[in-house]
Amino acid sequence: MHDIVIVGSGPAGVSAAFPLLEGGRDVLMLDGGKTLTVNASSDGYLKARLSDTEQSKWMIGSDFQALRFPDAVSPKLRVPTQSFAFDSFASVNRIESNNVVALGSLATGGLSNSWGCGVAAYSEDALETFPCQRSAMTRSYENVATRVGISGVDLSDDLSEYFGVDDWTSGEIPLDNIHNSILQTYEKRRASVQRLGVKMGVARKAVLSADSLGRKGCNLCGNCLFGCTRQSLYSSVSDVERLKTMPSFRLEPGTLVERIEQMDHGWRLYVLEMDTNDRRIIDCNTLVMAAGTLATTRLVFECLSYEDPVQLLSCPTAAFLLWKPSFLGSPVKEGFGLGQLSFSVQLPKKYTAFGSLFSPVGIPISEFVRQIPLQSKVSARIMKNLLSSTSIGNVFLPGQLSNITVRLGLEHQLIVEGGYSTEAQLMLANARKKLMRAFLKLGVILIPGSFTTGLPGGDIHYAGTIPMKSDPKIGESSEFCEPATTRGLFVVDGASLPYLSEQSHTLTIMANADRVANHIVSQGVDL
Amino acid sequence: MKVAVTGATGYVGREFVSFVNKSLGVELYVLSRSDPRLNGVTWCYYDLDQECPILPSSLDVIVHLASNTKHDELPADIEITAASRLLEEAGKTRARFIFVSSQTASKNAKSSYGKTKWQIEKLVQEYGGISVRPGQVYGGSRRGLYGRIVELVDRLPILPDFGDNVRVQLIHVEELSEILARLLTENFNGKEIFFAADPNWTSFRSYLTGLAETQVKKRRLFVRVPKFILIGAAWIFPNHKSLASLISLFSLPYMHTAASLAAMDITLRNFDTSLQKKSGTDRHLLEEGRILFEYLIGKSFSYFSLRGYVRAIKSLRGTGPLNIPILARAFPSMLGAYESASSFTSSTSNELLWRVAAATQLSESTVAGGEYYFGELGKYPVLRSVSTLFLAGLSEALYRSVGGFIFCLRKLPFSNYCEQRDA
Ligand SMILES: Cc1cc2nc3c(=O)[nH]c(=O)nc-3n(C[C@H](O)[C@H](O)[C@H](O)COP(=O)(O)OP(=O)(O)OC[C@H]3O[C@@H](n4cnc5c(N)ncnc54)[C@H](O)[C@@H]3O)c2cc1C
């Protein structure tokens, strides 16, 4: 009989593990065990592209990974160095989706192997929806933010309050030329841009600007899309490595939880060993679920025999291309490949849209050719000439604007279906108009026709299926994320968030997991 | 890439030249006594016992396949002198040098042929070139020693069986020319000598049986013939070429080829099945890859990256090459018109579009692709960018209208539509 089992080694799982171990508890962590199979280049991106004769290994993959999924939502799913993070998730966890992107991870470290590293703390208003004490969340934000390492701006900027993480940031990642220039123009024309409801600032991200605890500081090598060989980008894999050095911790990778069952005392897990295909049972007093929203939801609903459809919070998204004519013909340089600048857009009905701008340099040209409805050769030539004068943007809306539901199917699969609400479409259109005008004021053209709405679920931010409530009914969970009618089960991933902000939500998942774990410790061992 | 080839009219030479000419689109200079009359190939008169012709100053590779077949008329050192002249010529442009030697090459070879080859190998090694020792070459058109053996098998109702000790290490002529094509740009991380043959011996008898079954479609009886009879016969008819070649098979040194093959990640086909199999799919796919890559990036590519295309299509599509219209074959940029025409049809599963997309990704993921996309913009980058954008727009408009035209005419035979080739 184990003391505590945590299912999942992603950001949620590791964030629960630290307080539990520090509180003197024993932790067994299970995960799907997939790990990196192809390494990204350790040279700078441009150098590698100009001289690595074996670049097709990480650009295409020896099994042609990059060619296999022409319709995948994100280049990340095609990149051979990253595909392990998404591999087999839906089939193994019995997730069935209709017209909705439903992804997850069986990797050690989960989706954080390939996430965008954007971080933010929920606003006061957003935290109102949490039935817990605000101060407990603030404490936990600090715990996880300092562990993860966040870079931002040294002095505050127009988004300091909106991000809410500046108390815990250290250092900056230098902006590339084009984004630096956009920011400078913004600072000059701030007033007229803000009149449109648009604010801009440097992106806050879980990226180290200097070496720390075995991870190296970002050297702007530009390989972000393909994976960071320096571990500057936060991934919970580096936390798993730290956890493994603690004596009361054990990781059993490649142990898939197929079913969970509440016993008279504690919990029983029916697991499948990925290596040997053997099935066995693991018993524990306390079960902490952090398998990612979709996997956790299926396991918990199955255990509760809960069959009603429930809303899945998921942020509607769009992407667009910006062009700064004054940069045409400037030299192409590699630089930080994730969010450079971020912006917020005030929308009607008190909604806010959030987005970031990225450099296109570290993204394969074919990713653009795929999107441009011209002859491939022409699109390739155009992009080649525009690389140094363009920027890619994305926009997120709050998660309740999707109309996606999940429900347990007859074969105990989780069915994910739905789409965007009309309101989401209207809000995206509104955001587009405001952004177009705002960017024009900054000397940047939002290329008409490039603004494309993402597929429902394509944000891969999922939450809210077993939401925390102060008075939870069946299918909901308590202030400490215990699903109603269960005892000793804690849902610490996105499933228990009652609200999904348009901002990056993973830091909030982590803080919440930290908070719940501290609660478990304070409860003491229950015999 | 500019490549000069000697011996291009021989058995292997012909195969190699037509292969690189079609599939790789390299600029070829053929050095031979007679004009092979091949499209898109420049012929320069060349004879082993005469001075080298003047070669283009930007030559990248010399492939030396010629060998003295007039054994008795010319002294052996003619070949050596010829090779050193070629090497000198290669040195002027620092061209790579690939010499096709022989399995019998050895310092202590019994024949002067083997000794000569060994001496040339040494010269090539000093230069920093690569020598290739092929095994027994078979397949393709019936020429050279292979042609003579097939002819014998066809003519003789009863074939000699010299016992299991007379045996060969085989290699298909297509495989050999593919290896040579790869060596044009690749360095295999082995020594200076590449051993190109099946690592396993095939007994001469099985070799003949295979040829009888697949090439002349006749069953043949074998009679055990002791070696000395053949040796005696050769002694009586010293000028009989086939006999001389046969005897050379008796003392072939074993070649450890596995390491060479592994270094370039090559698995040879099985002799038993390869003669029956319809060959050529790979070549058509290679050619298709070449055309697509050239369309997208406008450069010629190494065999290595084109092979990636072939492997990708074979493992992901499971279908053969497309029937690319002759117009696009000659002018790859015409593919733009066909691409536009395909996009008029709403079918997203259009094979041509899939392959163009795959080729975009594959051609990008090479050093040549990296240079195309990230190379210097040159002196007036802004002007360059503006004009390229303008031209890109123009070519989109032009080829789109041609594409529309093709789309309307697609039922007519001459405007075939890049469909699947018939199997
Ligand atoms: C391309 C991309 C970009 C993103 N960008 C951002 C961003 O910029 N900012 C942001 O805040 N968020 C971002 N996200 C979302 C972020 O990655 C997730 O919110 C976060 O990883 C969720 O953490 P988690 O621990 O809950 O789950 P996961 O990270 O999904 O981890 C799940 C864990 O559970 C294990 N597991 C799954 N099923 C089972 C099972 N049946 N049995 C045992 N173990 C199992 C897995 O092996 C894994 O260890 C992004 C995601 C993607 C894909």
Side-chain angles (χ1 to χ4, degrees):
Chain A
M1 187 87 164
H2 292 275
D3 178 15
I4 297 178
V5 169
I6 301 179
V7 182
S9 57
V14 299
S15 302
F18 282 105
L20 291 171
L21 291 163
E22 279 152 19
R25 305 292 291 266
D26 283 341
V27 171
L28 170 65
M29 184 177 271
L30 311 177
D31 70 23
K34 304 251 178 209
T35 50
L36 194 76
T37 49
V38 192
N39 280 310
S41 169
S42 51
D43 276 333
Y45 179 70
L46 290 186
K47 182 177 171 213
R49 291 297 313 282
L50 285 166
S51 61
D52 183 356
T53 52
E54 310 235 300
Q55 57 186 282
S56 69
K57 283 204 178 130
W58 47 272
M59 289 281 287
I60 303 288
S62 46
D63 62 344
F64 305 108
Q65 167 70 24
L67 308 181
R68 280 175 199 268
F69 306 101
D71 305 321
V73 278
S74 153
K76 296 221 167 154
L77 278 84
R78 276 183 284 270
V79 170
T81 49
Q82 300 267 283
S83 59
F84 74 96
F86 304 93
D87 191 22
S88 320
F89 172 80
S91 59
V92 164
N93 276 307
R94 294 196 265 162
I95 311 293
E96 197 180 291
S97 63
N98 296 327
N99 302 321
V100 176
V101 179
L103 295 172
S105 179
L106 292 182
T108 297
L111 290 175
S112 71
N113 281 289
S114 104
W115 72 319
C117 295
V119 289
Y122 271 23
S123 67
E124 302 265 304
D125 284 353
L127 284 180
E128 279 299 315
T129 60
F130 285 46
C132 62
Q133 281 179 338
R134 182 94 45 86
S135 60
M137 276 305 283
T138 313
R139 243 189 340 266
S140 288
Y141 270 127
E142 177 165 1
N143 292 344
V144 295
T146 43
R147 192 182 77 236
V148 157
I150 298 176
S151 58
V153 276
D154 285 342
L155 305 167
S156 63
D157 65 12
D158 286 359
L159 293 183
S160 288
E161 202 191 316
Y162 181 64
F163 276 119
V165 293
D166 283 5
D167 287 349
W168 313 303
T169 56
S170 67
E172 302 185 15
I173 306 290
L175 294 177
D176 61 17
N177 290 342
I178 183 166
H179 293 100
N180 199 14
S181 157
I182 294 176
L183 187 63
Q184 277 175 11
T185 325
Y186 169 78
E187 274 158 9
K188 278 188 225 131
R189 313 214 172 129
R190 166 182 283 125
S192 65
V193 173
Q194 289 199 355
R195 232 172 289 134
L196 292 164
V198 177
K199 282 188 190 174
M200 195 173 268
V202 168
R204 307 324 196 251
K205 52 238 167 197
V207 180
L208 292 185
S209 57
D211 298 1
S212 160
L213 292 173
R215 292 166 58 200
K216 291 212 168 69
C218 174
N219 65 348
L220 303 180
C221 70
N223 289 316
C224 307
L225 170 68
F226 297 89
C228 186
T229 52
R230 303 168 61 85
Q231 294 184 301
S232 318
L233 308 184
Y234 171 79
S235 139
S236 54
V237 174
S238 53
D239 278 340
V240 171
E241 291 307 316
R242 270 170 70 188
L243 288 168
K244 281 203 221 158
T245 64
M246 304 187 175
S248 353
F249 176 85
R250 209 167 83 228
L251 175 74
E252 291 188 4
T255 310
L256 287 174
V257 178
E258 297 188 305
R259 191 155 70 85
I260 58 174
E261 186 181 359
Q262 177 148 34
M263 312 297 283
D264 290 342
H265 297 285
W267 288 80
R268 171 160 287 182
L269 282 69
Y270 297 84
V271 304
L272 172 71
E273 299 288 350
M274 297 265 276
D275 288 354
T276 56
N277 247 349
D278 285 340
R279 291 193 155 79
R280 65 182 168 102
I281 283 168
I282 297 176
D283 289 329
C284 61
N285 284 318
T286 303
L287 176 57
V288 176
M289 290 302 297
T293 300
L294 296 176
T296 295
T297 303
R298 195 197 70 79
L299 288 166
V300 172
F301 281 10
E302 179 185 51
C303 151
L304 299 174
S305 303
Y306 186 76
E307 289 167 357
D308 293 350
V310 189
Q311 183 178 19
L312 174 74
L313 301 175
S314 163
C315 302
T317 60
F320 55 84
L321 202 61
L322 295 176
W323 184 43
K324 192 167 167 57
S326 61
F327 268 63
L328 184 67
S330 63
V332 176
K333 288 209 191 97
E334 64 212 357
F336 183 63
L338 303 179
Q340 294 256 353
L341 298 177
S342 292
F343 55 82
S344 68
V345 190
Q346 217 50 56
L347 302 174
K349 297 194 189 168
K350 289 205 167 164
Y351 288 122
T352 308
F354 168 77
S356 300
L357 302 182
F358 305 78
S359 161
V361 174
I363 301 174
I365 299 273
S366 43
E367 291 293 340
F368 301 99
V369 173
R370 186 184 301 286
Q371 306 289 341
I372 306 176
L374 301 176
Q375 291 151 39
S376 304
K377 182 199 185 114
V378 173
S379 320
R381 271 215 206 153
I382 292 177
M383 267 329 283
K384 160 188 150 94
N385 278 276
L386 292 187
L387 270 187
S388 61
S389 55
T390 44
S391 165
I392 306 164
N394 60 18
V395 195
F396 291 81
L397 296 180
Q400 73 270 28
L401 286 172
S402 286
N403 262 339
I404 302 178
T405 59
V406 294
R407 74 187 148 85
L408 201 63
L410 290 176
E411 274 121 37
H412 293 200
Q413 78 277 39
L414 190 75
I415 302 170
V416 190
E417 55 198 355
Y420 288 158
S421 62
T422 350
E423 190 153 41
Q425 312 275 12
L426 292 174
M427 291 300 155
L428 282 176
N430 189 286
R432 184 180 127 243
K433 236 187 342 201
K434 287 184 171 150
L435 285 170
M436 230 167 196
R437 288 164 60 191
F439 280 120
L440 209 55
K441 287 188 191 295
L442 303 177
V444 182
I445 297 168
L446 196 162
I447 296 178
S450 73
F451 196 95
T452 4
T453 307
L455 292 171
D459 55 321
I460 325 182
H461 297 179
Y462 311 120
T465 45
I466 313 171
M468 280 183 268
K469 290 280 153 80
S470 41
D471 176 21
K473 293 186 261 309
I474 177 125
E476 297 171 343
S477 61
S478 72
E479 154 187 24
F480 296 110
C481 303
E482 296 167 277
T485 75
T486 66
R487 209 164 158 272
L489 170 67
F490 298 87
V491 172
V492 301
D493 54 23
S496 58
L497 297 188
Y499 177 76
L500 182 62
S501 157
E502 72 282 359
Q503 285 180 290
S504 298
H505 68 304
T506 303
L507 195 70
T508 302
I509 295 181
M510 297 173 84
N512 189 51
D514 178 272
R515 178 185 67 88
V516 172
N518 277 302
H519 163 78
I520 297 173
V521 169
S522 70
Q523 263 189 326
V525 185
D526 172 27
L527 291 172
Chain B
M1 190 168 43
K2 292 184 179 154
V3 179
V5 185
T6 73
T9 48
Y11 169 47
V12 176
R14 220 167 243 280
E15 182 67 35
F16 171 69
V17 162
S18 87
F19 174 60
V20 291
N21 185 22
K22 255 194 167 168
S23 305
L24 298 181
V26 302
E27 210 174 300
L28 272 175
Y29 296 84
V30 160
L31 315 188
S32 57
R33 275 180 305 221
S34 60
D35 188 348
R37 292 176 199 283
L38 282 168
N39 266 344
V41 165
T42 314
W43 172 59
C44 319
Y45 176 81
Y46 173 71
D47 195 344
L48 277 180
D49 57 1
Q50 287 174 29
E51 288 294 323
C52 256
I54 309 286
L55 293 173
S57 59
S58 51
L59 194 70
D60 297 299
V61 194
I62 294 184
V63 182
H64 185 33
L65 271 156
S67 136
N68 177 14
T69 45
K70 305 179 277 181
H71 272 296
D72 335 295
E73 297 151 40
L74 293 172
D77 55 334
I78 286 281
E79 277 201 74
I80 299 170
T81 321
S84 45
R85 280 197 198 123
L86 276 171
L87 283 165
E88 208 174 291
E89 199 61 35
K92 286 185 195 156
T93 65
R94 302 237 197 93
R96 286 168 74 94
F97 197 92
I98 300 167
F99 168 58
V100 179
S101 177
S102 155
Q103 181 163 8
T104 57
S106 149
K107 191 177 177 181
N108 309 313
K110 287 196 190 116
S111 62
S112 70
Y113 181 80
K115 277 200 197 98
T116 311
K117 294 288 179 196
W118 185 81
Q119 277 167 303
I120 299 176
E121 280 181 359
K122 285 285 142 215
L123 294 176
V124 172
Q125 185 179 344
E126 269 165 36
Y127 176 78
I130 303 167
S131 296
V132 178
R133 286 192 197 165
Q136 188 71 23
V137 189
Y138 72 95
S141 59
R142 293 178 189 171
R143 315 176 79 238
L145 179 56
Y146 168 71
R148 288 202 294 279
I149 293 177
V150 174
E151 199 184 291
L152 277 181
V153 170
D154 192 17
R155 264 197 295 171
L156 304 177
I158 296 174
L159 294 174
D161 171 8
F162 304 111
D164 285 347
N165 281 335
V166 176
R167 51 199 181 166
V168 286
Q169 282 176 279
L170 293 170
I171 180 159
H172 196 285
V173 67
E174 286 180 358
E175 289 168 336
L176 179 57
S177 49
E178 285 181 27
I179 289 172
L180 293 176
R182 282 182 61 181
L183 289 173
L184 293 179
T185 51
E186 284 173 64
N187 282 317
F188 70 102
N189 54 4
K191 304 274 159 20
E192 299 80 4
I193 296 181
F194 190 98
F195 298 98
D198 186 346
N200 302 314
W201 288 113
T202 303
S203 76
F204 196 61
R205 180 185 161 145
S206 331
Y207 179 44
L208 295 186
T209 316
L211 294 181
E213 279 169 11
T214 60
Q215 298 304 292
V216 303
K217 310 253 185 290
K218 289 174 189 161
R219 282 192 67 95
R220 286 289 178 249
L221 290 176
F222 282 87
V223 175
R224 185 63 212 255
V225 178
K227 253 186 349 192
F228 68 85
I229 294 194
L230 201 65
I231 295 174
W235 189 68
I236 299 167
F237 307 103
N239 289 330
H240 199 290
K241 246 189 192 169
S242 305
L243 273 179
S245 320
L246 274 179
I247 286 181
S248 71
L249 297 180
F250 288 175
S251 52
L252 284 178
Y254 177 70
M255 295 196 292
H256 292 273
T257 62
S260 294
L261 298 176
M264 285 180 83
D265 193 19
I266 295 169
T267 5
L268 298 183
R269 341 171 175 169
N270 186 340
F271 167 67
D272 292 333
T273 49
S274 69
L275 281 173
Q276 288 150 346
K277 229 184 30 207
K278 245 199 232 160
S279 67
T281 348
D282 279 20
R283 268 126 207 268
H284 291 309
L285 279 176
L286 264 179
E287 191 188 356
E288 178 179 310
R290 201 253 310 157
I291 294 168
L292 289 177
F293 281 29
E294 220 172 292
Y295 159 60
L296 292 161
I297 294 195
K299 283 193 200 179
S300 62
F301 278 79
S302 68
Y303 178 68
F304 181 72
S305 30
L306 293 181
R307 202 172 55 117
Y309 179 82
V310 175
R311 286 201 302 122
I313 299 299
K314 280 167 78 170
S315 68
L316 298 183
R317 309 310 283 171
T319 50
L322 295 177
N323 204 351
I324 295 184
I326 206 105
L327 210 55
R329 251 167 233 270
F331 307 100
S333 45
M334 267 301 292
L335 269 182
Y338 286 95
E339 209 193 334
S340 289
S342 304
S343 59
F344 289 128
T345 67
S346 60
S347 118
T348 46
S349 60
N350 186 301
E351 190 61 23
L352 176 67
L353 295 186
W354 194 96
R355 291 190 189 197
V356 171
T360 311
Q361 289 177 272
L362 288 163
S363 59
E364 164 172 33
S365 311
T366 61
V367 171
E371 279 164 359
Y372 177 72
Y373 289 115
F374 301 118
E376 291 294 317
L377 275 178
K379 245 193 185 162
Y380 303 101
V382 180
L383 213 65
R384 276 281 277 267
S385 295
V386 172
S387 63
T388 322
L389 289 176
F390 178 72
L391 289 176
L394 213 62
S395 100
E396 171 71 22
L398 177 72
Y399 286 116
R400 183 168 280 263
S401 38
V402 177
F405 199 60
I406 292 173
F407 177 71
C408 299
L409 297 181
R410 70 192 178 286
K411 291 271 141 53
L412 300 180
F414 59 83
S415 57
N416 80 48
Y417 204 55
C418 300
E419 307 93 342
Q420 216 70 49
R421 263 173 201 256
D422 299 330

